[in-house]
Amino acid sequence: MNVDARHAILFEPVVIGPKTLPNRFYQVPHASGFGSVMPRTQAAFRAIKAEGGWGGVCVEYAPIAADADETPAVGADIWDEADARALGLTAEAIHAHGALAGLELYHGGATSANGSSRAARVAPTQRASERRWASLAKEMTADDIARLQRDWVRAARHAADNGFDIVYVYGAHGYLMTQFWSTVLNLRTDGYGGSLANRGRFWLETLEAVRAEIGGECAVATRIPLHGDSGVPGAETLPGIEIDDMLKLISMADDLVDLWDVTVGSWPEDSGTSRYYPEGNQRRWTRRVREATAKPLVAVGRYTNPDLMAQVITSGEADLIGSARQAIADPFLPRKIAEGRLDEIRECTGSNVCILREETFNHVGCVQNATAGEEFRRGWHPETFTPAAGAERPVLIVGAGPAGMECAVVLAKRGFGAVHLVEAEPEIGGRLRWTRRLPTLGDWGRVTDWRAVQLAKLPGVEVITGRRLCAADVLDYGAELVVIATGSSWRGDGVQPGHAEPMPGADPSLPHVLTPEQVCAGKRPPGRRVVVYDADGYYVGPGVAELLTADGYEVSVVTTFAVLSPVSDETLEGDMLRAHLHRAGVRVTHATTITGIAPGPGGDGGPWSAVGHDRNGDPWSAGCDGVVLVTQQASNDGLYLELAGDPAALAAAGIGAVYRIGDAVAPRMLSEAVFDGHRLAREIDSPAPATPLPYRRERPGLG
Amino acid sequence: MNVDARHAILFEPVVIGPKTLPNRFYQVPHASGFGSVMPRTQAAFRAIKAEGGWGGVCVEYAPIAADADETPAVGADIWDEADARALGLTAEAIHAHGALAGLELYHGGATSANGSSRAARVAPTQRASERRWASLAKEMTADDIARLQRDWVRAARHAADNGFDIVYVYGAHGYLMTQFWSTVLNLRTDGYGGSLANRGRFWLETLEAVRAEIGGECAVATRIPLHGDSGVPGAETLPGIEIDDMLKLISMADDLVDLWDVTVGSWPEDSGTSRYYPEGNQRRWTRRVREATAKPLVAVGRYTNPDLMAQVITSGEADLIGSARQAIADPFLPRKIAEGRLDEIRECTGSNVCILREETFNHVGCVQNATAGEEFRRGWHPETFTPAAGAERPVLIVGAGPAGMECAVVLAKRGFGAVHLVEAEPEIGGRLRWTRRLPTLGDWGRVTDWRAVQLAKLPGVEVITGRRLCAADVLDYGAELVVIATGSSWRGDGVQPGHAEPMPGADPSLPHVLTPEQVCAGKRPPGRRVVVYDADGYYVGPGVAELLTADGYEVSVVTTFAVLSPVSDETLEGDMLRAHLHRAGVRVTHATTITGIAPGPGGDGGPWSAVGHDRNGDPWSAGCDGVVLVTQQASNDGLYLELAGDPAALAAAGIGAVYRIGDAVAPRMLSEAVFDGHRLAREIDSPAPATPLPYRRERPGLG
């Protein structure tokens, strides 16, 4: 290693109890969707981070008992020895790369799902959870308290016996420990409620018991929540624990803890997206923990900048750079810093698609790193690429959007020496060219930026912009392999989910009817009152609404959904997004379907009416000066279909195969377009590259 | 067997292609949550139905390819031979009881989730699904069509090789076949779109190819959808296929099919709940299929009445009684009919908790049959009970609600000879005493009725009503084992999710403030304008609203949720429930939180104001004459805590143990209360009965 002096501090070891972390890069516990039921998938997913240089690598939350069951989400259950042995594969795989392995022993208390176990939920005080319907929990008895503490100790023993170096007593993020700490959620009158010492007792006793069991072998860690910015909606995970009390609790427990792992605010703040939180947003809060402890401290903050990371460590405010999302986006970040390859760091966009995958009960995914979660399943490595058979063939990729860019990078890394990436527009980026210009969405542009840098560095790739190819151009191009990545467009005809017919009056050649792309390209409706009709449910409708509001329009969003932008709830942005738009003066009409745009004043005047029906099917209309249709997308698949439909012409042109990737196949999330481009390049030399190869699944034996 | 003559027809065999079903009881394919990843759990779950007398038993939908992946739902994937071998365990287990095993080969097309595979969705025409956000599908190419047909044939071969007798070509319920049939969803201009024959071609070709592969060995079945009652909202699964066209398609395919399995309407109609659909609701539609085919026909209809079943077969309108929900509620229904034990049939309540479990990605559950899904996991058999150790101890169960009744039945079946079930109210049933009297909820009373009959028949149980026991009474009772099942009550203090503090003005001793129980007991507010405040989200708020509306009140429901009764969407009732209330004139205010009840006119006059805030946090109020608080429940746990808190008194009274079950532990769904009572009785002789024993989980090998 030849570390730049300004980053050298990041590579200094840290002693945590009986163990030593080799450097300051610490992958905090975060969900993967693999748990202990996919042990080899889990092991490969975590091992890649150790290989990439993270000195500490943790598994996700590990429920210690059946009444902390997270089904249908996949937790790393450690209910018995067989579970622990399965998780031990991960510890072993992490050790193989010289890192320490952490396991986050966990109980959710009142928020546990218990979908498989069907056990009663437990909590300090009987209460309803905001998170789950009908989830009233049992008020824990003294027996319950003793039982869970025994479970924690048993699980800790199993963790130690199976190779884990760092063992958490975890209940932050609104889980059981938080529930005990809270003056709102803990109304007990026994020794576990009332005073701060009493509210901390369950946690302190558990720490003590776990330390007594495994403290000589493992580092004992705990995760603590601090109240963040009180202005953030959705802060229900942290009611009734003020920061000063939390600092007192830290002092009380400091002798029992080898590693403090700090979370801030509710989850939407702690895992704040780039739309609403800057890098290092948590610093002003995590600094305060230093007031209470001199022990090693992990701080998260969606850190992607090595200089800022070094500054955080140098300042002493934290000892370890904690990361979940950046470690997913680039498992090799530490090695790239160590080797000065800063321009190769795939920076997290902060779009939280990883969390959306988790919230929808799927395994991890990433918009920047298509290999995340695919290490065992598909044998993909983020930095290593097997040479492709037939790499001597010249390749033409049409369209330099996310899928096309990714495909070009991977093909070049697999040894293709003549990859032409041809883009019709004056710059690469595809959909992102305009998406990244919507208010708050700038960091999504990192998807383009990283690929732009790699494309420039890879000698096998030539990027050509401003050249729109028709089928004849493609046939004449001289390529043997053609990949069509022409993306998708927003429809202007008003076709929408549940309505396959075009909408009367929906014609974006008229001044008062607009597509999102037209708005982003500068088209504006006459007048000042605009209806943005959102049948899509994610970022485009709100983004366009915010753009037009900033331009002085009076914007009313009409959405088919019962809440505005329900997809944003899966990325933890929903509450912020809605508060943001409300403050900006955007009016919202919910659960309403627009079925036509007609002349004549609607409900509240205006030259045009958006007409439709409300949630009861009753007629609805609104007067306006213009309508933006965020209704449905359509693949730009004409070029592909024309080429694929003429095999004779392809043969005559010497083109062996034409494939398509990304939104040109089917409009999907950005992460899936990148994945699709990556997938094709990884499998370009398979027998039938258009069809994904089977991936490995872990299945029970039939014994 | 000594079958009553009027039911004898139900026990006649039916030839289906090369196989013979032994009788007319046919468990149609339905989800279990076990798929092919929990093969032994699946096998045990289906085998119990074969043991109970169902002549045909099918596994749930079996995705034939990775682009039909249903993750995070669990489908019976049959992507390769290893999957097929896993499913073969189920065929073998079904055969052991003399029944035929069916496998429903399936592709979801545009509705596939593909959460694990991350494959692009496919469909006849690119379109958005109403079911999934951002789920635009790829328009299938000729290659895609051929590929999926090959996959179907391969999967059929695997099914036949692994013991299945009945192989489906399945795409009803809005899945791929339906998408091809539809004039709305299929806009193709090639040989697979346009005319009816063209729209049917994909299905017909697939049937033909599957039949060519395995027709000599297996019966070929298909499931077909008929348009049901067009007045039902949520019918999106069946756009563009009129019944006459469907009958023509049946005629076209009749030579290729050995067994027709008929579904009616959209899923909420086909699996209609007892709240909105009577038993046999589908008859008028399924009868029409007889016009098109003389082949064996399966008809579903939530049949629970053996006389009606016999009538359906006798009439010739169908050949087989198809069942999903009733076969879950009572796997032994056929044997009970055969043996004339009609009073032992556990009738399905039609509450669709089985579907709620599936919709929330959990394994099957049932309000009537606590053993459903627990056959392998916990080793429970619905009809066989191991004798308990210590069964000579006299048992006192306090509270004859769902948990208490179930516990008493199971304890008696396990050999306890002196079980006293003591209820304070004049009749048994607990919560169900008033729930079943809410409009549309009558059939839920079957939970009480079945248990009432069993309790009367079991010599070991004595039911005592109208006797309220205090702690001293319990100590004096003479029991050695005490089980407290005192249920829960609705709070009148306005404590609600997210608000642990009582609500100012919430005092149900006042005339204008009411709990749901008070309303059901006859309390009525003065005046005529009532606000029903629903922070619960299931059936109680709407039920009370409907009750008061029927009494002439002007009812406004204010709910914290963005849709009224979101839980009802999981039971497929949401659309019907909301249309029902809208027609009844109930007004609904969404996403609004009430934080106080204050004197003085609110927004629209009235002596009282419900005050709070809307979804943006802005102040909100409404004038009214009274408020019903459907806010939060609380366990009636005083008796338990008093007893458990005095071990000396228990010892002195000769009471060895006190347990509690059901809502007295934590208020939950009805199914979970029954489960809890059952669980305790099954494990009453375990080392620590209060804590559930570990259950068996199927885990991958670590090879």
Side-chain angles (χ1 to χ4, degrees):
Chain A
M1 286 205 301
N2 184 19
V3 182
D4 190 305
R6 74 186 196 275
H7 302 143
I9 197 168
L10 295 170
F11 295 90
E12 292 177 3
V14 182
V15 174
I16 50 169
K19 300 283 181 178
T20 301
L21 285 161
N23 61 38
R24 306 307 178 105
F25 299 98
Y26 187 82
Q27 184 242 282
V28 293
H30 71 79
S32 69
F34 304 132
S36 46
V37 293
M38 297 177 222
R40 287 168 291 174
T41 316
Q42 173 79 259
F45 174 65
R46 303 296 176 182
I48 212 79
K49 297 168 200 285
E51 185 188 343
W54 298 85
V57 179
C58 298
V59 177
E60 64 258 35
Y61 61 171
I64 56 166
D67 60 3
D69 165 35
E70 282 295 298
T71 307
V74 177
D77 296 333
I78 183 165
W79 303 354
D80 60 22
E81 209 186 326
D83 288 332
R85 279 200 306 273
L87 291 167
L89 294 192
T90 297
E92 199 180 314
I94 291 168
H95 290 163
H97 298 285
L100 298 188
L103 191 64
E104 186 184 49
L105 303 181
Y106 151 90
H107 201 295
T111 73
S112 297
N114 296 350
S116 173
S117 70
R118 302 179 72 170
R121 298 176 180 89
V122 296
T125 299
Q126 184 166 84
R127 62 142 182 151
S129 165
E130 295 75 13
R131 294 195 190 179
R132 303 192 189 281
W133 175 81
S135 79
L136 269 75
K138 174 191 182 189
E139 176 167 317
M140 289 168 76
T141 62
D143 285 349
D144 290 321
I145 287 173
R147 175 176 60 83
L148 288 192
Q149 289 178 333
R150 284 196 305 274
D151 280 333
W152 235 298
V153 170
R154 180 200 39 70
R157 169 47 50 209
H158 281 147
D161 287 349
N162 285 278
F164 286 94
D165 308 289
I166 305 165
V167 172
Y168 277 73
V169 174
Y170 169 55
H173 285 118
Y175 298 129
L176 185 58
M177 300 308 182
T178 312
Q179 294 158 27
F180 267 100
W181 293 327
S182 168
T183 53
V184 173
L185 304 179
N186 179 351
L187 307 176
R188 299 180 75 92
T189 53
D190 65 2
Y192 295 92
S195 69
L196 181 65
N198 278 3
R199 284 181 282 122
R201 188 179 311 281
F202 176 71
W203 172 62
L204 290 161
E205 286 179 355
T206 308
L207 275 170
E208 199 162 6
V210 165
R211 189 170 191 86
E213 179 70 27
I214 52 101
E217 304 155 61
C218 302
V220 174
T222 197
R223 226 167 179 177
I224 48 162
L226 295 186
H227 246 309
D229 185 336
S230 59
V232 177
E236 63 98 357
T237 54
L238 279 175
I241 318 166
E242 294 308 320
I243 191 163
D244 291 334
D245 277 355
M246 203 63 236
L247 297 182
K248 283 181 200 148
L249 282 171
I250 292 171
S251 298
M252 289 180 206
D254 205 32
D255 287 345
L256 302 169
V257 172
D258 300 314
L259 182 65
W260 290 100
D261 184 346
V262 184
T263 70
V264 172
S266 62
W267 199 30
E269 182 176 359
D270 193 42
S271 291
T273 62
S274 58
R275 299 189 68 171
Y276 302 109
Y277 296 98
E279 183 175 352
N281 180 61
Q282 291 96 320
R283 286 183 78 181
R284 62 197 160 133
W285 305 107
T286 50
R287 277 177 187 142
R288 296 219 43 204
V289 180
R290 200 38 109 208
E291 300 169 15
T293 179
K295 291 277 181 81
L297 199 68
V298 183
V300 295
R302 202 167 48 76
Y303 291 111
T304 58
N305 178 345
D307 295 344
L308 183 56
M309 294 179 195
Q311 189 188 320
V312 166
I313 304 299
T314 305
S315 74
E317 68 194 67
D319 303 286
L320 292 154
I321 300 298
S323 174
R325 291 172 290 175
Q326 179 55 45
I328 297 170
D330 196 341
F332 276 65
L333 169 115
R335 276 177 58 171
K336 289 175 180 173
I337 296 173
E339 294 165 9
R341 296 186 287 130
L342 303 189
D343 61 349
E344 291 187 24
I345 295 172
R346 269 191 304 269
E347 288 183 296
C348 171
T349 65
S351 67
N352 279 9
V353 69
C354 46
I355 290 169
L356 175 144
R357 297 269 313 167
E358 180 198 352
E359 291 286 294
T360 53
F361 308 121
N362 287 300
H363 69 271
V364 68
C366 179
V367 69
Q368 280 283 49
N369 175 13
T371 72
E374 304 296 342
E375 301 82 2
F376 174 83
R377 287 159 41 95
R378 301 186 207 253
W380 291 355
H381 188 287
E383 303 293 323
T384 306
F385 298 83
T386 54
E392 70 289 349
R393 292 171 290 175
V395 183
L396 168 64
I397 301 175
V398 184
M405 292 188 291
E406 178 75 4
C407 189
V409 168
V410 176
L411 285 176
K413 291 192 172 185
R414 295 200 62 206
F416 280 85
V419 177
H420 280 216
L421 178 61
V422 181
E423 168 59 45
E425 300 294 330
E427 54 174 350
I428 66 170
R431 167 75 46 94
L432 281 167
R433 284 182 301 115
W434 58 269
T435 302
R436 70 187 301 179
R437 289 185 191 120
L438 286 172
T440 74
L441 285 165
D443 276 357
W444 289 26
R446 291 177 170 185
V447 170
T448 302
D449 296 344
W450 182 82
R451 284 159 187 81
V453 171
Q454 309 316 307
L455 290 167
K457 285 171 69 171
L458 286 162
V461 185
E462 189 170 336
V463 178
I464 297 148
T465 54
R467 186 161 170 212
R468 186 175 299 275
L469 301 180
C470 68
D473 298 332
V474 171
L475 292 171
D476 286 346
Y477 201 89
E480 291 179 37
L481 249 179
V482 173
V483 179
I484 305 298
T486 41
S488 61
S489 305
W490 285 93
R491 300 178 73 128
D493 61 1
V495 164
Q496 58 182 311
H499 292 78
E501 300 291 308
M503 179 192 293
D507 176 355
S509 71
L510 300 171
H512 67 285
V513 179
L514 301 91
T515 67
E517 280 122 338
Q518 287 178 332
V519 173
C520 289
K523 181 176 172 185
R524 291 291 178 273
R528 62 181 187 85
R529 282 179 306 174
V530 184
V531 167
V532 174
Y533 177 47
D534 185 5
D536 172 62
Y538 191 15
Y539 65 90
V540 175
V544 167
E546 194 169 349
L547 193 66
L548 291 171
T549 303
D551 274 6
Y553 286 88
E554 195 179 290
V555 177
S556 168
V557 176
V558 177
T559 176
T560 51
F561 298 96
V563 295
L564 179 64
S565 190
V567 182
S568 297
D569 286 326
E570 314 294 356
T571 57
L572 310 182
E573 294 165 315
D575 287 332
M576 263 93 67
L577 178 144
R578 291 183 283 266
H580 194 75
L581 265 70
H582 184 62
R583 279 195 300 268
V586 174
R587 278 188 317 159
V588 182
T589 302
H590 300 91
T592 296
T593 302
I594 295 178
T595 55
I597 303 168
D604 46 1
W608 299 96
S609 287
V611 298
H613 56 81
D614 70 11
R615 71 171 87 208
N616 294 312
D618 293 335
W620 173 94
S621 74
C624 61
D625 296 303
V627 177
V628 184
L629 294 168
V630 189
T631 43
Q632 191 169 316
Q633 300 176 74
S635 291
N636 300 325
D637 55 8
L639 179 61
Y640 172 81
L641 294 174
E642 189 177 348
L643 289 165
D646 194 350
L650 291 172
I655 296 173
V658 182
Y659 303 111
R660 61 176 153 162
I661 54 176
D663 277 15
V665 178
R668 282 165 285 178
M669 292 193 69
L670 184 52
S671 58
E672 303 313 290
V674 172
F675 177 85
D676 201 29
H678 191 101
R679 205 279 313 158
L680 181 72
R682 285 274 184 179
E683 299 178 356
I684 196 71
D685 44 357
S686 79
T691 304
L693 290 170
Y695 55 90
R696 295 167 79 187
R697 292 174 283 152
E698 298 192 72
R699 298 187 263 211
L702 305 181
Chain B
M1 286 203 303
N2 184 20
V3 181
D4 191 306
R6 72 185 199 275
H7 301 142
I9 198 169
L10 295 170
F11 295 89
E12 292 177 1
V14 182
V15 174
I16 49 169
K19 300 282 180 179
T20 301
L21 285 161
N23 60 36
R24 306 307 177 106
F25 299 98
Y26 187 83
Q27 184 242 283
V28 294
H30 70 79
S32 69
F34 304 133
S36 46
V37 293
M38 297 179 221
R40 289 168 289 174
T41 316
Q42 173 79 260
F45 174 65
R46 303 295 176 183
I48 211 79
K49 297 167 200 286
E51 185 187 343
W54 298 84
V57 179
C58 299
V59 176
E60 65 257 35
Y61 61 170
I64 57 167
D67 59 5
D69 164 36
E70 282 295 299
T71 308
V74 178
D77 296 333
I78 183 164
W79 303 354
D80 60 22
E81 210 188 325
D83 288 332
R85 278 200 306 273
L87 291 167
L89 294 192
T90 296
E92 199 180 314
I94 291 168
H95 291 162
H97 298 286
L100 298 188
L103 191 64
E104 187 184 48
L105 303 181
Y106 150 91
H107 202 295
T111 72
S112 296
N114 296 351
S116 173
S117 72
R118 302 179 71 170
R121 297 174 180 92
V122 296
T125 299
Q126 184 165 85
R127 63 142 181 151
S129 165
E130 296 75 11
R131 295 195 188 177
R132 304 192 189 282
W133 176 81
S135 79
L136 270 75
K138 174 192 182 189
E139 176 167 316
M140 287 167 76
T141 62
D143 284 350
D144 290 321
I145 287 174
R147 173 176 61 82
L148 287 192
Q149 289 178 333
R150 283 196 306 274
D151 279 334
W152 234 298
V153 170
R154 179 200 39 71
R157 170 46 51 208
H158 281 146
D161 288 348
N162 286 278
F164 286 95
D165 308 290
I166 306 165
V167 172
Y168 277 74
V169 175
Y170 169 55
H173 284 119
Y175 299 130
L176 186 58
M177 300 307 182
T178 312
Q179 294 158 26
F180 268 99
W181 294 326
S182 168
T183 53
V184 172
L185 304 179
N186 179 351
L187 307 176
R188 299 179 75 91
T189 54
D190 64 2
Y192 295 92
S195 69
L196 182 65
N198 277 5
R199 283 180 282 122
R201 189 179 310 281
F202 176 71
W203 173 61
L204 290 161
E205 286 180 356
T206 308
L207 275 170
E208 200 163 5
V210 165
R211 190 172 191 84
E213 178 71 27
I214 53 102
E217 304 155 62
C218 303
V220 175
T222 198
R223 225 168 181 178
I224 47 162
L226 295 186
H227 246 310
D229 185 335
S230 59
V232 177
E236 62 98 357
T237 53
L238 278 175
I241 318 168
E242 294 308 319
I243 190 162
D244 291 335
D245 278 355
M246 203 63 236
L247 297 183
K248 284 182 199 147
L249 283 172
I250 292 171
S251 297
M252 290 180 206
D254 205 31
D255 287 346
L256 302 170
V257 172
D258 300 314
L259 183 66
W260 290 101
D261 184 346
V262 184
T263 70
V264 173
S266 62
W267 198 29
E269 183 176 0
D270 193 43
S271 291
T273 62
S274 58
R275 300 189 67 171
Y276 302 109
Y277 295 99
E279 183 175 353
N281 179 61
Q282 291 97 322
R283 287 183 77 182
R284 63 196 159 133
W285 306 107
T286 51
R287 276 176 186 142
R288 296 219 43 204
V289 180
R290 199 38 109 208
E291 300 168 15
T293 180
K295 291 277 182 80
L297 200 68
V298 183
V300 294
R302 202 167 49 76
Y303 291 111
T304 58
N305 177 345
D307 295 345
L308 184 56
M309 294 179 196
Q311 188 188 321
V312 166
I313 304 299
T314 305
S315 73
E317 68 193 69
D319 303 286
L320 292 154
I321 300 297
S323 175
R325 291 172 290 174
Q326 180 54 46
I328 298 169
D330 196 341
F332 276 64
L333 169 114
R335 277 177 58 170
K336 289 175 181 173
I337 295 173
E339 294 165 10
R341 296 186 287 130
L342 303 188
D343 61 347
E344 291 187 24
I345 294 172
R346 270 192 302 268
E347 289 183 296
C348 171
T349 65
S351 67
N352 280 9
V353 68
C354 46
I355 291 170
L356 174 143
R357 296 271 310 169
E358 181 198 351
E359 291 286 294
T360 53
F361 308 120
N362 288 300
H363 70 272
V364 67
C366 179
V367 68
Q368 280 283 50
N369 175 14
T371 72
E374 305 295 342
E375 301 83 1
F376 174 83
R377 288 160 40 96
R378 300 186 207 253
W380 291 356
H381 189 287
E383 303 293 323
T384 306
F385 298 83
T386 54
E392 71 288 348
R393 292 171 291 174
V395 183
L396 169 63
I397 301 176
V398 184
M405 294 188 290
E406 178 75 4
C407 190
V409 168
V410 176
L411 286 177
K413 292 193 172 185
R414 295 200 63 205
F416 281 85
V419 177
H420 280 216
L421 178 61
V422 180
E423 167 60 44
E425 299 295 330
E427 53 175 351
I428 65 171
R431 166 75 46 95
L432 282 167
R433 284 183 301 113
W434 58 268
T435 301
R436 70 188 301 178
R437 290 185 191 118
L438 286 172
T440 75
L441 285 165
D443 276 358
W444 288 26
R446 291 176 171 186
V447 170
T448 302
D449 297 344
W450 182 81
R451 283 158 188 80
V453 170
Q454 309 316 307
L455 290 167
K457 286 171 69 171
L458 287 162
V461 185
E462 190 170 335
V463 178
I464 296 146
T465 55
R467 187 162 169 210
R468 185 176 299 277
L469 301 180
C470 67
D473 298 332
V474 172
L475 292 171
D476 285 346
Y477 202 89
E480 290 179 36
L481 249 178
V482 173
V483 179
I484 304 298
T486 42
S488 62
S489 305
W490 285 93
R491 300 179 73 129
D493 61 0
V495 164
Q496 59 182 313
H499 293 77
E501 300 291 309
M503 179 191 293
D507 176 356
S509 70
L510 300 171
H512 67 284
V513 179
L514 301 91
T515 68
E517 280 122 339
Q518 288 178 333
V519 173
C520 290
K523 180 176 172 184
R524 291 292 177 273
R528 62 181 188 86
R529 282 180 304 175
V530 184
V531 167
V532 174
Y533 177 47
D534 186 5
D536 173 60
Y538 192 15
Y539 64 91
V540 175
V544 167
E546 194 168 349
L547 194 65
L548 292 171
T549 303
D551 273 8
Y553 286 89
E554 195 179 289
V555 177
S556 170
V557 177
V558 177
T559 175
T560 51
F561 298 96
V563 295
L564 178 63
S565 191
V567 182
S568 296
D569 286 325
E570 314 294 354
T571 58
L572 311 182
E573 295 166 315
D575 287 332
M576 263 93 67
L577 178 145
R578 290 183 284 265
H580 194 76
L581 265 70
H582 184 61
R583 280 195 300 267
V586 174
R587 278 190 316 159
V588 182
T589 302
H590 301 90
T592 297
T593 302
I594 295 178
T595 54
I597 303 168
D604 45 1
W608 299 98
S609 288
V611 299
H613 56 81
D614 69 11
R615 69 172 87 210
N616 295 313
D618 292 336
W620 172 95
S621 74
C624 61
D625 297 303
V627 178
V628 184
L629 293 168
V630 189
T631 42
Q632 191 169 315
Q633 299 176 74
S635 290
N636 301 324
D637 56 8
L639 179 60
Y640 172 81
L641 293 174
E642 188 176 348
L643 288 165
D646 192 351
L650 292 171
I655 296 173
V658 182
Y659 304 111
R660 61 176 152 161
I661 55 176
D663 277 15
V665 178
R668 282 164 285 177
M669 292 194 70
L670 184 51
S671 57
E672 303 313 290
V674 172
F675 177 86
D676 200 30
H678 191 101
R679 206 278 314 158
L680 180 72
R682 287 274 184 179
E683 299 178 357
I684 196 72
D685 44 357
S686 78
T691 304
L693 289 171
Y695 55 90
R696 293 167 80 188
R697 291 174 284 152
E698 298 193 72
R699 298 186 262 209
L702 304 181

